[in-house]
Amino acid sequence: MAPNLAVDLAPHNPRELRLRNPVLVASGCFGYGLEYARHIDIQRLGAIVCKGTTLRPRAGNATPRLAETPAGMLNSIGLQNPGVEAVVAEYAPVWERWTVPVVVNIAGESAAEYAELARRLDEVPGVAGLEVNISCPNVAAGGMAFGVDPAAAAAVTRAVRQATTLPVIVKLTPNTADVVGVARAVAAAGADALSLINTLRGMVMDVEARRPVLARGSGGLSGPAVRPVALAMVYEVAGAVDVPVIGLGGIATAHDALEFLLAGAAAVQVGTACFVDPQAPLRIVEGLAAWMEREGVAAVGEIVGAGRL
Ligand SMILES: Cc1cc2nc3c(=O)[nH]c(=O)nc-3n(C[C@H](O)[C@H](O)[C@H](O)COP(=O)(O)O)c2cc1C
């Protein structure tokens, strides 16, 4: 019998977030799904997390805002997006026709803004859940400021929780000394699931120009370079909370995804690897299924946390 890859990422929420497999694509690395739909069969993904959405349209940061690094990349896009109204009007009607669930990633400058975004998206057909980004390192106001402080992170989570019955995933930053403290606070405040990690703050210097390569100075590091850092954080957080944890950071192969599942992640997201190879997430789905079949694992839940000490 083919192995069962299905997962529910919001088991305590009546609206559920049931996915056919545990492989999502990460925010900012898959647009709104429409672009990649021309290249791969997106309906075979576990879910799509769209680009960060704000109340008003944002043009993003000045360029250059991308730089390559050893085994990774730096970005400081700065949440460029058309705003929630356009997302609801232009993208959600398309998502409604898809079988793959779409989760909307949201970002604000205050708890009230996050709540307003959640209210606007609550009953929109085509929106399967929210991912609350309290971890963006590339904006002047809001973003990561909420994610480094347990009380502020909990306040945003509570505000969103009160504004919507949709499944709520809260996305954590690695740029804090106390990721477990933030994770516990967010789970207690009503998050259905947690995702981690967002990017790690980093910088590249242009030696000839004697200036940082990115116009804004620093940016967020992603790709294989961050994977061991992400894995250790996912391991720690999964051992500390009783809501599903979604692991991401440098995942490019089924082997990488298995590392996160064994560490305790209920699902994974694929980000930067989509830029290198749009087929990567689907290859990971196939690779997971093949591995489970070979190992005699009937359901993916059997291996979640199975590698923990
Ligand atoms: C170009 C780019 C844009 C991103 N935009 C967002 C975003 O809008 N919201 C968000 O929560 N994360 C954003 N991220 C972070 C990714 O979703 C992910 O957390 C991070 O890149 C680590 O995963 P990876 O190594 O698989 O890319 C972005 C990452 C990249 C590379």
Side-chain angles (χ1 to χ4, degrees), residues 179-204:
V179 71
V180 166
V182 174
R184 284 204 174 110
V186 161
D192 290 300
L194 308 178
S195 57
L196 67 153
I197 61 172
N198 207 317
T199 53
L200 271 163
R201 238 160 67 86
M203 181 183 278
V204 177

mmCIF file of all heavy atoms in Angstrom, residues 179-204:
data_model
loop_
_atom_site.group_PDB
_atom_site.id
_atom_site.type_symbol
_atom_site.label_atom_id
_atom_site.label_comp_id
_atom_site.label_asym_id
_atom_site.label_seq_id
_atom_site.Cartn_x
_atom_site.Cartn_y
_atom_site.Cartn_z
ATOM 1 N N VAL A 179 14.404 31.428 21.538
ATOM 2 C CA VAL A 179 13.361 30.994 20.600
ATOM 3 C C VAL A 179 12.318 30.126 21.309
ATOM 4 O O VAL A 179 11.124 30.183 20.981
ATOM 5 C CB VAL A 179 13.985 30.293 19.361
ATOM 6 C CG1 VAL A 179 14.563 28.943 19.714
ATOM 7 C CG2 VAL A 179 12.961 30.140 18.236
ATOM 8 N N VAL A 180 12.734 29.350 22.301
ATOM 9 C CA VAL A 180 11.784 28.495 23.021
ATOM 10 C C VAL A 180 10.807 29.339 23.836
ATOM 11 O O VAL A 180 9.607 29.053 23.875
ATOM 12 C CB VAL A 180 12.534 27.484 23.917
ATOM 13 C CG1 VAL A 180 11.588 26.818 24.917
ATOM 14 C CG2 VAL A 180 13.190 26.420 23.042
ATOM 15 N N GLY A 181 11.310 30.410 24.448
ATOM 16 C CA GLY A 181 10.442 31.314 25.208
ATOM 17 C C GLY A 181 9.384 31.940 24.316
ATOM 18 O O GLY A 181 8.199 32.010 24.680
ATOM 19 N N VAL A 182 9.792 32.367 23.131
ATOM 20 C CA VAL A 182 8.842 32.960 22.183
ATOM 21 C C VAL A 182 7.849 31.891 21.715
ATOM 22 O O VAL A 182 6.639 32.130 21.668
ATOM 23 C CB VAL A 182 9.581 33.588 20.976
ATOM 24 C CG1 VAL A 182 8.592 34.075 19.925
ATOM 25 C CG2 VAL A 182 10.490 34.731 21.433
ATOM 26 N N ALA A 183 8.346 30.702 21.420
ATOM 27 C CA ALA A 183 7.482 29.611 20.940
ATOM 28 C C ALA A 183 6.419 29.270 21.978
ATOM 29 O O ALA A 183 5.231 29.128 21.653
ATOM 30 C CB ALA A 183 8.324 28.375 20.621
ATOM 31 N N ARG A 184 6.824 29.145 23.223
ATOM 32 C CA ARG A 184 5.861 28.800 24.294
ATOM 33 C C ARG A 184 4.817 29.903 24.449
ATOM 34 O O ARG A 184 3.624 29.628 24.595
ATOM 35 C CB ARG A 184 6.603 28.627 25.616
ATOM 36 C CG ARG A 184 7.360 27.323 25.719
ATOM 37 C CD ARG A 184 7.562 26.938 27.184
ATOM 38 N NE ARG A 184 8.166 25.618 27.309
ATOM 39 C CZ ARG A 184 9.409 25.400 27.725
ATOM 40 N NH1 ARG A 184 10.180 26.418 28.085
ATOM 41 N NH2 ARG A 184 9.881 24.173 27.809
ATOM 42 N N ALA A 185 5.263 31.157 24.395
ATOM 43 C CA ALA A 185 4.334 32.284 24.573
ATOM 44 C C ALA A 185 3.308 32.325 23.445
ATOM 45 O O ALA A 185 2.116 32.554 23.672
ATOM 46 C CB ALA A 185 5.117 33.596 24.625
ATOM 47 N N VAL A 186 3.767 32.074 22.244
ATOM 48 C CA VAL A 186 2.902 32.118 21.066
ATOM 49 C C VAL A 186 1.903 30.952 21.074
ATOM 50 O O VAL A 186 0.727 31.119 20.762
ATOM 51 C CB VAL A 186 3.806 32.103 19.802
ATOM 52 C CG1 VAL A 186 3.052 31.684 18.579
ATOM 53 C CG2 VAL A 186 4.456 33.466 19.610
ATOM 54 N N ALA A 187 2.373 29.779 21.472
ATOM 55 C CA ALA A 187 1.480 28.613 21.556
ATOM 56 C C ALA A 187 0.407 28.857 22.619
ATOM 57 O O ALA A 187 -0.774 28.572 22.400
ATOM 58 C CB ALA A 187 2.284 27.346 21.858
ATOM 59 N N ALA A 188 0.818 29.420 23.742
ATOM 60 C CA ALA A 188 -0.147 29.687 24.828
ATOM 61 C C ALA A 188 -1.152 30.755 24.416
ATOM 62 O O ALA A 188 -2.277 30.786 24.917
ATOM 63 C CB ALA A 188 0.598 30.113 26.090
ATOM 64 N N ALA A 189 -0.754 31.630 23.497
ATOM 65 C CA ALA A 189 -1.640 32.716 23.059
ATOM 66 C C ALA A 189 -2.612 32.273 21.966
ATOM 67 O O ALA A 189 -3.390 33.081 21.464
ATOM 68 C CB ALA A 189 -0.806 33.899 22.579
ATOM 69 N N GLY A 190 -2.543 30.995 21.577
ATOM 70 C CA GLY A 190 -3.573 30.485 20.672
ATOM 71 C C GLY A 190 -3.129 30.123 19.264
ATOM 72 O O GLY A 190 -3.977 29.868 18.403
ATOM 73 N N ALA A 191 -1.824 30.067 19.011
ATOM 74 C CA ALA A 191 -1.372 29.640 17.679
ATOM 75 C C ALA A 191 -1.737 28.177 17.463
ATOM 76 O O ALA A 191 -1.598 27.359 18.375
ATOM 77 C CB ALA A 191 0.137 29.824 17.545
ATOM 78 N N ASP A 192 -2.212 27.832 16.261
ATOM 79 C CA ASP A 192 -2.508 26.443 15.944
ATOM 80 C C ASP A 192 -1.239 25.664 15.606
ATOM 81 O O ASP A 192 -1.190 24.440 15.766
ATOM 82 C CB ASP A 192 -3.458 26.369 14.743
ATOM 83 C CG ASP A 192 -4.839 26.865 15.099
ATOM 84 O OD1 ASP A 192 -5.461 26.268 16.002
ATOM 85 O OD2 ASP A 192 -5.295 27.855 14.500
ATOM 86 N N ALA A 193 -0.236 26.374 15.085
ATOM 87 C CA ALA A 193 1.026 25.742 14.696
ATOM 88 C C ALA A 193 2.107 26.813 14.675
ATOM 89 O O ALA A 193 1.811 28.015 14.662
ATOM 90 C CB ALA A 193 0.904 25.086 13.321
ATOM 91 N N LEU A 194 3.362 26.371 14.668
ATOM 92 C CA LEU A 194 4.485 27.308 14.572
ATOM 93 C C LEU A 194 5.300 26.939 13.346
ATOM 94 O O LEU A 194 5.393 25.759 12.992
ATOM 95 C CB LEU A 194 5.388 27.198 15.809
ATOM 96 C CG LEU A 194 4.708 27.301 17.177
ATOM 97 C CD1 LEU A 194 5.751 27.128 18.286
ATOM 98 C CD2 LEU A 194 4.027 28.655 17.304
ATOM 99 N N SER A 195 5.898 27.934 12.706
ATOM 100 C CA SER A 195 6.852 27.620 11.651
ATOM 101 C C SER A 195 8.163 28.318 11.983
ATOM 102 O O SER A 195 8.182 29.418 12.519
ATOM 103 C CB SER A 195 6.330 28.035 10.268
ATOM 104 O OG SER A 195 6.005 29.407 10.230
ATOM 105 N N LEU A 196 9.274 27.665 11.693
ATOM 106 C CA LEU A 196 10.581 28.260 11.888
ATOM 107 C C LEU A 196 11.602 27.477 11.072
ATOM 108 O O LEU A 196 11.391 26.272 10.861
ATOM 109 C CB LEU A 196 10.973 28.302 13.379
ATOM 110 C CG LEU A 196 11.236 27.005 14.135
ATOM 111 C CD1 LEU A 196 12.194 27.262 15.279
ATOM 112 C CD2 LEU A 196 9.932 26.428 14.690
ATOM 113 N N ILE A 197 12.598 28.210 10.480
ATOM 114 C CA ILE A 197 13.003 29.557 10.824
ATOM 115 C C ILE A 197 12.770 30.515 9.657
ATOM 116 O O ILE A 197 12.765 30.097 8.496
ATOM 117 C CB ILE A 197 14.513 29.623 11.218
ATOM 118 C CG1 ILE A 197 15.400 29.173 10.061
ATOM 119 C CG2 ILE A 197 14.774 28.845 12.452
ATOM 120 C CD1 ILE A 197 16.903 29.378 10.293
ATOM 121 N N ASN A 198 12.585 31.798 10.003
ATOM 122 C CA ASN A 198 12.734 32.844 8.998
ATOM 123 C C ASN A 198 14.245 33.038 8.798
ATOM 124 O O ASN A 198 15.050 32.289 9.350
ATOM 125 C CB ASN A 198 12.045 34.124 9.466
ATOM 126 C CG ASN A 198 11.583 34.983 8.293
ATOM 127 O OD1 ASN A 198 12.318 35.150 7.316
ATOM 128 N ND2 ASN A 198 10.388 35.519 8.371
ATOM 129 N N THR A 199 14.633 34.029 8.033
ATOM 130 C CA THR A 199 16.052 34.175 7.698
ATOM 131 C C THR A 199 16.885 34.676 8.878
ATOM 132 O O THR A 199 16.391 35.338 9.785
ATOM 133 C CB THR A 199 16.223 35.145 6.519
ATOM 134 O OG1 THR A 199 15.541 36.353 6.831
ATOM 135 C CG2 THR A 199 15.676 34.556 5.236
ATOM 136 N N LEU A 200 18.177 34.348 8.815
ATOM 137 C CA LEU A 200 19.149 34.804 9.819
ATOM 138 C C LEU A 200 19.781 36.102 9.321
ATOM 139 O O LEU A 200 20.202 36.184 8.164
ATOM 140 C CB LEU A 200 20.272 33.771 9.938
ATOM 141 C CG LEU A 200 20.113 32.635 10.929
ATOM 142 C CD1 LEU A 200 21.104 31.533 10.600
ATOM 143 C CD2 LEU A 200 20.342 33.132 12.350
ATOM 144 N N ARG A 201 19.893 37.104 10.182
ATOM 145 C CA ARG A 201 20.482 38.368 9.745
ATOM 146 C C ARG A 201 21.928 38.174 9.290
ATOM 147 O O ARG A 201 22.703 37.483 9.957
ATOM 148 C CB ARG A 201 20.451 39.378 10.889
ATOM 149 C CG ARG A 201 19.692 40.647 10.529
ATOM 150 C CD ARG A 201 19.283 41.355 11.778
ATOM 151 N NE ARG A 201 20.445 41.864 12.493
ATOM 152 C CZ ARG A 201 21.000 43.044 12.226
ATOM 153 N NH1 ARG A 201 20.532 43.821 11.280
ATOM 154 N NH2 ARG A 201 22.037 43.455 12.919
ATOM 155 N N GLY A 202 22.265 38.765 8.152
ATOM 156 C CA GLY A 202 23.619 38.633 7.635
ATOM 157 C C GLY A 202 23.996 39.808 6.757
ATOM 158 O O GLY A 202 23.161 40.666 6.441
ATOM 159 N N MET A 203 25.265 39.856 6.361
ATOM 160 C CA MET A 203 25.758 40.970 5.539
ATOM 161 C C MET A 203 26.867 40.482 4.614
ATOM 162 O O MET A 203 27.616 39.559 4.965
ATOM 163 C CB MET A 203 26.304 42.088 6.439
ATOM 164 C CG MET A 203 26.820 43.304 5.690
ATOM 165 S SD MET A 203 27.527 44.559 6.779
ATOM 166 C CE MET A 203 26.068 45.421 7.341
ATOM 167 N N VAL A 204 26.949 41.077 3.432
ATOM 168 C CA VAL A 204 28.073 40.855 2.525
ATOM 169 C C VAL A 204 28.655 42.220 2.189
ATOM 170 O O VAL A 204 27.904 43.163 1.891
ATOM 171 C CB VAL A 204 27.625 40.157 1.220
ATOM 172 C CG1 VAL A 204 28.806 39.996 0.269
ATOM 173 C CG2 VAL A 204 27.006 38.796 1.510
#
